[in-house]
Amino acid sequence: MTRFWAQRTPRERMVLAAGAGVAIVLLAIALVWLPLERSRTRLALEIPRLAASIATMQAQAEEVARVRSLPAATPATQAPLETVVPALLRALPAAQVVAIDARRLRITAADVAYGALLEAIAAAQATYGLRVDSASVDALPAAGRVRAELVLTRETKASHG
């Protein structure tokens, strides 16, 4: 390479150096600037969607705070949770219902009708004084069907006040 360079005239060396400089600039544009510009454009398009998502989460947080501030419904019965399990299994035959302890139940369903799940939760709250403590509900491809994992907790006088 050194011999090749030494054999070139000063004018050829200048043209080759200028060509190499242009090639370096073009490579920098192609490998650095263009990917950064594409990322900037993609992120700029995501901003409205993310802002809408934040607004939705804030509205949901306000709704959760409002619902949590409501007084607990007085249950029709203080039956032991072991007696609640069969009632929930009748309402949600495809679900697994397990008493975690004296105050909490876990409902796990791989494929359940969303409406039936809501009705079972409402009935458990009205009849047994159970409230949703935690929930993970994912929509399934079939309309109106969800995968759900919930923990229902019975409010006690000591934990309520």
Side-chain angles (χ1 to χ4, degrees), residues 108-131:
T108 305
D111 184 354
V112 66
Y114 185 64
L117 179 64
L118 291 181
E119 289 173 11
I121 292 169
Q125 181 175 3
T127 306
Y128 302 105
L130 294 170
R131 295 181 73 175

Side-chain angles (χ1 to χ4, degrees), residues 39-127:
S39 293
R40 186 195 65 80
T41 302
R42 180 182 50 81
L43 291 172
L45 293 174
E46 278 187 40
I47 288 174
R49 183 185 60 79
L50 293 173
S53 179
I54 288 171
T56 300
M57 284 189 253
Q58 287 172 335
Q60 290 171 343
E62 290 170 5
E63 179 67 11
V64 166
R66 183 189 69 76
V67 169
R68 284 191 182 250
S69 70
L70 294 175
T74 304
T77 179
Q78 282 291 323
L81 289 186
E82 292 77 23
T83 63
V84 178
V85 172
L88 285 171
L89 285 172
R90 281 191 300 278
L92 303 168
Q96 293 177 336
V97 182
V98 179
I100 299 171
D101 55 34
R103 292 183 48 237
R104 298 179 299 154
L105 287 174
R106 178 182 316 279
I107 300 173
T108 305
D111 184 354
V112 66
Y114 185 64
L117 179 64
L118 291 181
E119 289 173 11
I121 292 169
Q125 181 175 3
T127 306

